[in-house]
mmCIF file of all heavy atoms in Angstrom:
data_model
loop_
_atom_site.group_PDB
_atom_site.id
_atom_site.type_symbol
_atom_site.label_atom_id
_atom_site.label_comp_id
_atom_site.label_asym_id
_atom_site.label_seq_id
_atom_site.Cartn_x
_atom_site.Cartn_y
_atom_site.Cartn_z
ATOM 1 N N LEU A 1 -8.557 -14.559 -1.379
ATOM 2 C CA LEU A 1 -8.894 -13.253 -1.914
ATOM 3 C C LEU A 1 -8.164 -13.063 -3.228
ATOM 4 O O LEU A 1 -6.964 -13.258 -3.319
ATOM 5 C CB LEU A 1 -8.483 -12.148 -0.932
ATOM 6 C CG LEU A 1 -8.706 -10.720 -1.386
ATOM 7 C CD1 LEU A 1 -10.196 -10.442 -1.557
ATOM 8 C CD2 LEU A 1 -8.097 -9.750 -0.394
ATOM 9 N N ILE A 2 -8.912 -12.716 -4.261
ATOM 10 C CA ILE A 2 -8.323 -12.426 -5.566
ATOM 11 C C ILE A 2 -8.536 -10.947 -5.825
ATOM 12 O O ILE A 2 -9.652 -10.440 -5.748
ATOM 13 C CB ILE A 2 -8.980 -13.259 -6.683
ATOM 14 C CG1 ILE A 2 -8.732 -14.739 -6.444
ATOM 15 C CG2 ILE A 2 -8.448 -12.829 -8.040
ATOM 16 C CD1 ILE A 2 -9.496 -15.640 -7.389
ATOM 17 N N SER A 3 -7.468 -10.244 -6.120
ATOM 18 C CA SER A 3 -7.538 -8.814 -6.407
ATOM 19 C C SER A 3 -7.114 -8.600 -7.852
ATOM 20 O O SER A 3 -6.083 -9.106 -8.281
ATOM 21 C CB SER A 3 -6.597 -8.051 -5.463
ATOM 22 O OG SER A 3 -6.648 -6.688 -5.750
ATOM 23 N N THR A 4 -7.944 -7.886 -8.605
ATOM 24 C CA THR A 4 -7.639 -7.644 -10.007
ATOM 25 C C THR A 4 -8.130 -6.259 -10.411
ATOM 26 O O THR A 4 -8.964 -5.668 -9.731
ATOM 27 C CB THR A 4 -8.278 -8.729 -10.904
ATOM 28 O OG1 THR A 4 -7.866 -8.515 -12.254
ATOM 29 C CG2 THR A 4 -9.787 -8.689 -10.828
ATOM 30 N N SER A 5 -7.615 -5.750 -11.487
ATOM 31 C CA SER A 5 -8.080 -4.478 -12.032
ATOM 32 C C SER A 5 -8.788 -4.742 -13.343
ATOM 33 O O SER A 5 -8.415 -5.646 -14.089
ATOM 34 C CB SER A 5 -6.890 -3.540 -12.291
ATOM 35 O OG SER A 5 -6.251 -3.242 -11.088
ATOM 36 N N ASP A 6 -9.825 -3.955 -13.614
ATOM 37 C CA ASP A 6 -10.584 -4.143 -14.838
ATOM 38 C C ASP A 6 -11.195 -2.802 -15.225
ATOM 39 O O ASP A 6 -11.644 -2.051 -14.367
ATOM 40 C CB ASP A 6 -11.688 -5.181 -14.605
ATOM 41 C CG ASP A 6 -12.163 -5.832 -15.881
ATOM 42 O OD1 ASP A 6 -11.718 -5.418 -16.967
ATOM 43 O OD2 ASP A 6 -12.984 -6.757 -15.782
ATOM 44 N N ASN A 7 -11.221 -2.515 -16.505
ATOM 45 C CA ASN A 7 -11.823 -1.294 -17.006
ATOM 46 C C ASN A 7 -13.303 -1.579 -17.260
ATOM 47 O O ASN A 7 -13.680 -2.064 -18.313
ATOM 48 C CB ASN A 7 -11.111 -0.857 -18.290
ATOM 49 C CG ASN A 7 -11.507 0.529 -18.708
ATOM 50 O OD1 ASN A 7 -12.213 1.227 -17.991
ATOM 51 N ND2 ASN A 7 -11.056 0.913 -19.886
ATOM 52 N N VAL A 8 -14.164 -1.285 -16.280
ATOM 53 C CA VAL A 8 -15.548 -1.744 -16.330
ATOM 54 C C VAL A 8 -16.585 -0.656 -16.570
ATOM 55 O O VAL A 8 -17.736 -0.967 -16.861
ATOM 56 C CB VAL A 8 -15.919 -2.485 -15.029
ATOM 57 C CG1 VAL A 8 -15.120 -3.766 -14.889
ATOM 58 C CG2 VAL A 8 -15.731 -1.596 -13.823
ATOM 59 N N THR A 9 -16.222 0.616 -16.446
ATOM 60 C CA THR A 9 -17.231 1.655 -16.581
ATOM 61 C C THR A 9 -16.588 2.984 -16.975
ATOM 62 O O THR A 9 -15.392 3.060 -17.197
ATOM 63 C CB THR A 9 -18.046 1.827 -15.276
ATOM 64 O OG1 THR A 9 -19.165 2.666 -15.527
ATOM 65 C CG2 THR A 9 -17.207 2.389 -14.153
ATOM 66 N N ASN A 10 -17.403 4.009 -17.041
ATOM 67 C CA ASN A 10 -16.930 5.352 -17.378
ATOM 68 C C ASN A 10 -16.947 6.236 -16.138
ATOM 69 O O ASN A 10 -17.759 6.034 -15.229
ATOM 70 C CB ASN A 10 -17.831 5.985 -18.447
ATOM 71 C CG ASN A 10 -17.768 5.238 -19.755
ATOM 72 O OD1 ASN A 10 -16.685 4.875 -20.217
ATOM 73 N ND2 ASN A 10 -18.924 5.005 -20.352
ATOM 74 N N SER A 11 -16.090 7.227 -16.158
ATOM 75 C CA SER A 11 -16.079 8.181 -15.056
ATOM 76 C C SER A 11 -15.790 9.579 -15.604
ATOM 77 O O SER A 11 -15.266 9.732 -16.701
ATOM 78 C CB SER A 11 -15.025 7.798 -14.015
ATOM 79 O OG SER A 11 -13.735 7.872 -14.578
ATOM 80 N N VAL A 12 -16.170 10.565 -14.815
ATOM 81 C CA VAL A 12 -15.933 11.965 -15.155
ATOM 82 C C VAL A 12 -15.234 12.607 -13.976
ATOM 83 O O VAL A 12 -15.654 12.432 -12.829
ATOM 84 C CB VAL A 12 -17.266 12.705 -15.421
ATOM 85 C CG1 VAL A 12 -17.036 14.184 -15.636
ATOM 86 C CG2 VAL A 12 -17.995 12.086 -16.600
ATOM 87 N N ARG A 13 -14.156 13.321 -14.266
ATOM 88 C CA ARG A 13 -13.429 14.053 -13.227
ATOM 89 C C ARG A 13 -13.294 15.503 -13.660
ATOM 90 O O ARG A 13 -13.021 15.779 -14.820
ATOM 91 C CB ARG A 13 -12.023 13.487 -13.038
ATOM 92 C CG ARG A 13 -11.974 12.094 -12.518
ATOM 93 C CD ARG A 13 -10.538 11.589 -12.513
ATOM 94 N NE ARG A 13 -10.489 10.184 -12.207
ATOM 95 C CZ ARG A 13 -10.039 9.684 -11.070
ATOM 96 N NH1 ARG A 13 -9.572 10.489 -10.153
ATOM 97 N NH2 ARG A 13 -10.040 8.402 -10.855
ATOM 98 N N SER A 14 -13.453 16.395 -12.718
ATOM 99 C CA SER A 14 -13.200 17.798 -12.989
ATOM 100 C C SER A 14 -12.728 18.450 -11.702
ATOM 101 O O SER A 14 -13.008 17.969 -10.605
ATOM 102 C CB SER A 14 -14.446 18.490 -13.532
ATOM 103 O OG SER A 14 -15.493 18.413 -12.598
ATOM 104 N N GLY A 15 -11.993 19.532 -11.845
ATOM 105 C CA GLY A 15 -11.486 20.169 -10.642
ATOM 106 C C GLY A 15 -10.881 21.514 -10.922
ATOM 107 O O GLY A 15 -10.813 21.971 -12.065
ATOM 108 N N ILE A 16 -10.430 22.126 -9.848
ATOM 109 C CA ILE A 16 -9.805 23.432 -9.936
ATOM 110 C C ILE A 16 -8.680 23.481 -8.908
ATOM 111 O O ILE A 16 -8.779 22.891 -7.833
ATOM 112 C CB ILE A 16 -10.837 24.561 -9.690
ATOM 113 C CG1 ILE A 16 -10.214 25.923 -9.931
ATOM 114 C CG2 ILE A 16 -11.410 24.475 -8.304
ATOM 115 C CD1 ILE A 16 -11.240 27.048 -9.977
ATOM 116 N N GLU A 17 -7.604 24.160 -9.280
ATOM 117 C CA GLU A 17 -6.485 24.353 -8.366
ATOM 118 C C GLU A 17 -6.360 25.845 -8.077
ATOM 119 O O GLU A 17 -6.309 26.658 -8.992
ATOM 120 C CB GLU A 17 -5.192 23.826 -8.983
ATOM 121 C CG GLU A 17 -3.988 24.018 -8.088
ATOM 122 C CD GLU A 17 -2.725 23.441 -8.685
ATOM 123 O OE1 GLU A 17 -2.357 23.863 -9.796
ATOM 124 O OE2 GLU A 17 -2.126 22.585 -8.022
ATOM 125 N N LEU A 18 -6.326 26.193 -6.811
ATOM 126 C CA LEU A 18 -6.175 27.580 -6.392
ATOM 127 C C LEU A 18 -4.813 27.733 -5.730
ATOM 128 O O LEU A 18 -4.456 26.952 -4.845
ATOM 129 C CB LEU A 18 -7.269 27.952 -5.392
ATOM 130 C CG LEU A 18 -8.707 27.702 -5.857
ATOM 131 C CD1 LEU A 18 -9.683 27.890 -4.697
ATOM 132 C CD2 LEU A 18 -9.043 28.632 -7.002
ATOM 133 N N VAL A 19 -4.049 28.719 -6.186
ATOM 134 C CA VAL A 19 -2.703 28.944 -5.649
ATOM 135 C C VAL A 19 -2.615 30.371 -5.140
ATOM 136 O O VAL A 19 -2.977 31.315 -5.846
ATOM 137 C CB VAL A 19 -1.622 28.702 -6.732
ATOM 138 C CG1 VAL A 19 -0.233 28.968 -6.172
ATOM 139 C CG2 VAL A 19 -1.722 27.301 -7.296
ATOM 140 N N GLY A 20 -2.138 30.519 -3.930
ATOM 141 C CA GLY A 20 -1.936 31.843 -3.351
ATOM 142 C C GLY A 20 -0.497 32.003 -2.908
ATOM 143 O O GLY A 20 0.067 31.113 -2.282
ATOM 144 N N LYS A 21 0.116 33.125 -3.279
ATOM 145 C CA LYS A 21 1.478 33.438 -2.845
ATOM 146 C C LYS A 21 1.432 34.735 -2.069
ATOM 147 O O LYS A 21 0.885 35.719 -2.547
ATOM 148 C CB LYS A 21 2.419 33.564 -4.044
ATOM 149 C CG LYS A 21 2.693 32.236 -4.729
ATOM 150 C CD LYS A 21 3.726 32.348 -5.825
ATOM 151 C CE LYS A 21 5.092 32.610 -5.344
ATOM 152 N NZ LYS A 21 5.896 31.544 -4.846
ATOM 153 N N ASN A 22 2.013 34.714 -0.883
ATOM 154 C CA ASN A 22 2.023 35.897 -0.030
ATOM 155 C C ASN A 22 3.422 36.126 0.521
ATOM 156 O O ASN A 22 4.081 35.190 0.942
ATOM 157 C CB ASN A 22 1.057 35.730 1.148
ATOM 158 C CG ASN A 22 -0.337 35.453 0.692
ATOM 159 O OD1 ASN A 22 -0.723 34.303 0.581
ATOM 160 N ND2 ASN A 22 -1.093 36.486 0.404
ATOM 161 N N LYS A 23 3.840 37.365 0.525
ATOM 162 C CA LYS A 23 5.101 37.750 1.162
ATOM 163 C C LYS A 23 4.729 38.546 2.402
ATOM 164 O O LYS A 23 4.089 39.586 2.314
ATOM 165 C CB LYS A 23 5.963 38.569 0.232
ATOM 166 C CG LYS A 23 7.284 38.953 0.846
ATOM 167 C CD LYS A 23 8.377 38.969 -0.196
ATOM 168 C CE LYS A 23 9.700 39.318 0.439
ATOM 169 N NZ LYS A 23 10.496 38.190 0.762
ATOM 170 N N LEU A 24 5.139 38.047 3.560
ATOM 171 C CA LEU A 24 4.796 38.686 4.828
ATOM 172 C C LEU A 24 6.057 39.050 5.597
ATOM 173 O O LEU A 24 7.005 38.264 5.674
ATOM 174 C CB LEU A 24 3.950 37.733 5.683
ATOM 175 C CG LEU A 24 2.698 37.156 5.015
ATOM 176 C CD1 LEU A 24 2.108 36.061 5.866
ATOM 177 C CD2 LEU A 24 1.683 38.251 4.774
ATOM 178 N N PHE A 25 6.095 40.228 6.157
ATOM 179 C CA PHE A 25 7.159 40.668 7.059
ATOM 180 C C PHE A 25 8.561 40.630 6.445
ATOM 181 O O PHE A 25 9.537 40.486 7.154
ATOM 182 C CB PHE A 25 7.179 39.836 8.348
ATOM 183 C CG PHE A 25 5.833 39.677 8.977
ATOM 184 C CD1 PHE A 25 5.232 38.436 9.031
ATOM 185 C CD2 PHE A 25 5.157 40.771 9.512
ATOM 186 C CE1 PHE A 25 3.989 38.272 9.613
ATOM 187 C CE2 PHE A 25 3.918 40.613 10.093
ATOM 188 C CZ PHE A 25 3.328 39.359 10.145
ATOM 189 N N LYS A 26 8.733 40.723 5.155
ATOM 190 C CA LYS A 26 10.011 40.720 4.444
ATOM 191 C C LYS A 26 10.784 39.407 4.570
ATOM 192 O O LYS A 26 11.689 39.150 3.806
ATOM 193 C CB LYS A 26 10.924 41.863 4.902
ATOM 194 C CG LYS A 26 10.434 43.230 4.542
ATOM 195 C CD LYS A 26 11.466 44.261 4.937
ATOM 196 C CE LYS A 26 10.975 45.658 4.640
ATOM 197 N NZ LYS A 26 11.947 46.671 5.017
ATOM 198 N N ILE A 27 10.474 38.567 5.534
ATOM 199 C CA ILE A 27 11.255 37.339 5.723
ATOM 200 C C ILE A 27 10.445 36.068 5.470
ATOM 201 O O ILE A 27 10.999 34.984 5.448
ATOM 202 C CB ILE A 27 11.851 37.257 7.149
ATOM 203 C CG1 ILE A 27 10.743 37.169 8.202
ATOM 204 C CG2 ILE A 27 12.794 38.399 7.410
ATOM 205 C CD1 ILE A 27 11.218 36.730 9.554
ATOM 206 N N LEU A 28 9.139 36.198 5.267
ATOM 207 C CA LEU A 28 8.279 35.019 5.155
ATOM 208 C C LEU A 28 7.536 35.011 3.824
ATOM 209 O O LEU A 28 6.816 35.953 3.496
ATOM 210 C CB LEU A 28 7.260 35.010 6.306
ATOM 211 C CG LEU A 28 6.222 33.899 6.311
ATOM 212 C CD1 LEU A 28 6.873 32.529 6.415
ATOM 213 C CD2 LEU A 28 5.235 34.103 7.452
ATOM 214 N N ASP A 29 7.740 33.945 3.063
ATOM 215 C CA ASP A 29 6.987 33.699 1.831
ATOM 216 C C ASP A 29 6.085 32.495 2.064
ATOM 217 O O ASP A 29 6.570 31.430 2.460
ATOM 218 C CB ASP A 29 7.924 33.372 0.661
ATOM 219 C CG ASP A 29 8.666 34.582 0.149
ATOM 220 O OD1 ASP A 29 8.094 35.676 0.172
ATOM 221 O OD2 ASP A 29 9.827 34.422 -0.280
ATOM 222 N N LEU A 30 4.802 32.645 1.793
ATOM 223 C CA LEU A 30 3.851 31.542 1.914
ATOM 224 C C LEU A 30 3.303 31.198 0.540
ATOM 225 O O LEU A 30 2.896 32.086 -0.210
ATOM 226 C CB LEU A 30 2.673 31.911 2.810
ATOM 227 C CG LEU A 30 2.929 32.047 4.293
ATOM 228 C CD1 LEU A 30 1.651 32.478 5.005
ATOM 229 C CD2 LEU A 30 3.439 30.746 4.877
ATOM 230 N N THR A 31 3.283 29.933 0.216
ATOM 231 C CA THR A 31 2.625 29.458 -0.997
ATOM 232 C C THR A 31 1.599 28.419 -0.561
ATOM 233 O O THR A 31 1.948 27.412 0.061
ATOM 234 C CB THR A 31 3.631 28.816 -1.976
ATOM 235 O OG1 THR A 31 4.640 29.778 -2.288
ATOM 236 C CG2 THR A 31 2.927 28.377 -3.252
ATOM 237 N N THR A 32 0.348 28.681 -0.858
ATOM 238 C CA THR A 32 -0.743 27.779 -0.477
ATOM 239 C C THR A 32 -1.426 27.283 -1.742
ATOM 240 O O THR A 32 -1.769 28.077 -2.619
ATOM 241 C CB THR A 32 -1.766 28.512 0.412
ATOM 242 O OG1 THR A 32 -1.083 29.096 1.516
ATOM 243 C CG2 THR A 32 -2.841 27.565 0.902
ATOM 244 N N THR A 33 -1.615 25.983 -1.823
ATOM 245 C CA THR A 33 -2.285 25.366 -2.963
ATOM 246 C C THR A 33 -3.458 24.547 -2.450
ATOM 247 O O THR A 33 -3.294 23.721 -1.546
ATOM 248 C CB THR A 33 -1.319 24.441 -3.729
ATOM 249 O OG1 THR A 33 -0.167 25.180 -4.099
ATOM 250 C CG2 THR A 33 -1.969 23.877 -4.970
ATOM 251 N N VAL A 34 -4.633 24.774 -3.021
ATOM 252 C CA VAL A 34 -5.828 23.998 -2.676
ATOM 253 C C VAL A 34 -6.388 23.419 -3.967
ATOM 254 O O VAL A 34 -6.593 24.133 -4.946
ATOM 255 C CB VAL A 34 -6.901 24.872 -1.986
ATOM 256 C CG1 VAL A 34 -8.164 24.062 -1.709
ATOM 257 C CG2 VAL A 34 -6.360 25.482 -0.707
ATOM 258 N N ASN A 35 -6.588 22.108 -3.989
ATOM 259 C CA ASN A 35 -7.187 21.414 -5.126
ATOM 260 C C ASN A 35 -8.573 20.940 -4.722
ATOM 261 O O ASN A 35 -8.734 20.263 -3.706
ATOM 262 C CB ASN A 35 -6.343 20.201 -5.532
ATOM 263 C CG ASN A 35 -5.021 20.605 -6.112
ATOM 264 O OD1 ASN A 35 -4.969 21.217 -7.166
ATOM 265 N ND2 ASN A 35 -3.947 20.286 -5.418
ATOM 266 N N LEU A 36 -9.561 21.302 -5.518
ATOM 267 C CA LEU A 36 -10.944 20.868 -5.305
ATOM 268 C C LEU A 36 -11.337 20.060 -6.527
ATOM 269 O O LEU A 36 -11.139 20.511 -7.656
ATOM 270 C CB LEU A 36 -11.859 22.084 -5.171
ATOM 271 C CG LEU A 36 -11.434 23.145 -4.161
ATOM 272 C CD1 LEU A 36 -12.233 24.419 -4.372
ATOM 273 C CD2 LEU A 36 -11.608 22.625 -2.755
ATOM 274 N N TYR A 37 -11.876 18.864 -6.318
ATOM 275 C CA TYR A 37 -12.249 18.084 -7.478
ATOM 276 C C TYR A 37 -13.515 17.257 -7.239
ATOM 277 O O TYR A 37 -13.836 16.870 -6.124
ATOM 278 C CB TYR A 37 -11.111 17.207 -7.987
ATOM 279 C CG TYR A 37 -10.261 16.560 -6.924
ATOM 280 C CD1 TYR A 37 -10.524 15.282 -6.476
ATOM 281 C CD2 TYR A 37 -9.177 17.237 -6.387
ATOM 282 C CE1 TYR A 37 -9.730 14.695 -5.516
ATOM 283 C CE2 TYR A 37 -8.384 16.656 -5.426
ATOM 284 C CZ TYR A 37 -8.660 15.378 -4.990
ATOM 285 O OH TYR A 37 -7.883 14.805 -4.030
ATOM 286 N N TYR A 38 -14.206 17.056 -8.340
ATOM 287 C CA TYR A 38 -15.459 16.309 -8.384
ATOM 288 C C TYR A 38 -15.208 15.039 -9.199
ATOM 289 O O TYR A 38 -14.506 15.068 -10.207
ATOM 290 C CB TYR A 38 -16.527 17.169 -9.066
ATOM 291 C CG TYR A 38 -17.770 16.427 -9.472
ATOM 292 C CD1 TYR A 38 -18.750 16.118 -8.541
ATOM 293 C CD2 TYR A 38 -17.963 16.038 -10.797
ATOM 294 C CE1 TYR A 38 -19.901 15.435 -8.915
ATOM 295 C CE2 TYR A 38 -19.102 15.362 -11.169
ATOM 296 C CZ TYR A 38 -20.071 15.056 -10.230
ATOM 297 O OH TYR A 38 -21.193 14.382 -10.604
ATOM 298 N N TYR A 39 -15.775 13.942 -8.739
ATOM 299 C CA TYR A 39 -15.568 12.655 -9.403
ATOM 300 C C TYR A 39 -16.904 11.920 -9.458
ATOM 301 O O TYR A 39 -17.581 11.771 -8.446
ATOM 302 C CB TYR A 39 -14.531 11.844 -8.636
ATOM 303 C CG TYR A 39 -14.239 10.486 -9.191
ATOM 304 C CD1 TYR A 39 -13.607 10.339 -10.409
ATOM 305 C CD2 TYR A 39 -14.597 9.343 -8.487
ATOM 306 C CE1 TYR A 39 -13.318 9.080 -10.917
ATOM 307 C CE2 TYR A 39 -14.314 8.090 -8.984
ATOM 308 C CZ TYR A 39 -13.669 7.967 -10.199
ATOM 309 O OH TYR A 39 -13.393 6.727 -10.707
ATOM 310 N N LYS A 40 -17.290 11.477 -10.668
ATOM 311 C CA LYS A 40 -18.526 10.713 -10.836
ATOM 312 C C LYS A 40 -18.192 9.436 -11.590
ATOM 313 O O LYS A 40 -17.527 9.457 -12.629
ATOM 314 C CB LYS A 40 -19.553 11.508 -11.637
ATOM 315 C CG LYS A 40 -20.833 10.734 -11.870
ATOM 316 C CD LYS A 40 -21.811 11.507 -12.721
ATOM 317 C CE LYS A 40 -23.036 10.647 -12.963
ATOM 318 N NZ LYS A 40 -23.973 11.271 -13.874
ATOM 319 N N MET A 41 -18.658 8.304 -11.040
ATOM 320 C CA MET A 41 -18.447 7.011 -11.696
ATOM 321 C C MET A 41 -19.805 6.390 -11.993
ATOM 322 O O MET A 41 -20.679 6.326 -11.120
ATOM 323 C CB MET A 41 -17.633 6.065 -10.805
ATOM 324 C CG MET A 41 -17.319 4.742 -11.496
ATOM 325 S SD MET A 41 -16.437 3.561 -10.456
ATOM 326 C CE MET A 41 -14.917 4.406 -10.177
ATOM 327 N N ASP A 42 -19.979 5.946 -13.242
ATOM 328 C CA ASP A 42 -21.219 5.288 -13.639
ATOM 329 C C ASP A 42 -21.309 3.900 -13.008
ATOM 330 O O ASP A 42 -20.308 3.294 -12.660
ATOM 331 C CB ASP A 42 -21.285 5.148 -15.168
ATOM 332 C CG ASP A 42 -21.354 6.493 -15.865
ATOM 333 O OD1 ASP A 42 -21.751 7.484 -15.222
ATOM 334 O OD2 ASP A 42 -20.997 6.552 -17.056
ATOM 335 N N GLY A 43 -22.537 3.394 -12.893
ATOM 336 C CA GLY A 43 -22.747 2.059 -12.360
ATOM 337 C C GLY A 43 -22.313 0.977 -13.345
ATOM 338 O O GLY A 43 -22.163 1.220 -14.540
ATOM 339 N N PHE A 44 -22.118 -0.233 -12.833
ATOM 340 C CA PHE A 44 -21.714 -1.354 -13.681
ATOM 341 C C PHE A 44 -21.965 -2.669 -12.953
ATOM 342 O O PHE A 44 -22.183 -2.708 -11.748
ATOM 343 C CB PHE A 44 -20.227 -1.250 -14.060
ATOM 344 C CG PHE A 44 -19.297 -1.347 -12.881
ATOM 345 C CD1 PHE A 44 -18.805 -2.581 -12.453
ATOM 346 C CD2 PHE A 44 -18.898 -0.201 -12.202
ATOM 347 C CE1 PHE A 44 -17.953 -2.660 -11.370
ATOM 348 C CE2 PHE A 44 -18.038 -0.279 -11.125
ATOM 349 C CZ PHE A 44 -17.562 -1.514 -10.706
ATOM 350 N N THR A 45 -21.944 -3.736 -13.717
ATOM 351 C CA THR A 45 -21.958 -5.088 -13.169
ATOM 352 C C THR A 45 -20.737 -5.798 -13.724
ATOM 353 O O THR A 45 -20.498 -5.803 -14.931
ATOM 354 C CB THR A 45 -23.237 -5.847 -13.572
ATOM 355 O OG1 THR A 45 -24.365 -5.119 -13.083
ATOM 356 C CG2 THR A 45 -23.247 -7.250 -12.998
#
């Protein structure tokens, strides 16, 4: 098995990060982060 890396095609990436901060009951801080992303890679030989 031969494993190699090669720059063979183009790709497009886009995404969004959503961050929520909540303080609950005076003693609890919650920080929630959600990342959503789209990835498209063109064909190649």
Side-chain angles (χ1 to χ4, degrees):
L1 177 65
I2 297 172
S3 179
T4 185
S5 297
D6 202 355
N7 191 7
V8 294
T9 191
N10 295 315
S11 64
V12 174
R13 295 174 189 251
S14 60
I16 186 169
E17 179 178 58
L18 305 171
V19 179
K21 290 186 70 80
N22 303 93
K23 181 145 182 97
L24 307 170
F25 312 113
K26 293 185 182 180
I27 64 165
L28 176 61
D29 286 326
L30 289 178
T31 303
T32 306
T33 305
V34 177
N35 292 295
L36 309 166
Y37 39 94
Y38 166 79
Y39 179 68
K40 178 183 177 185
M41 184 183 296
D42 295 339
F44 64 90
T45 301

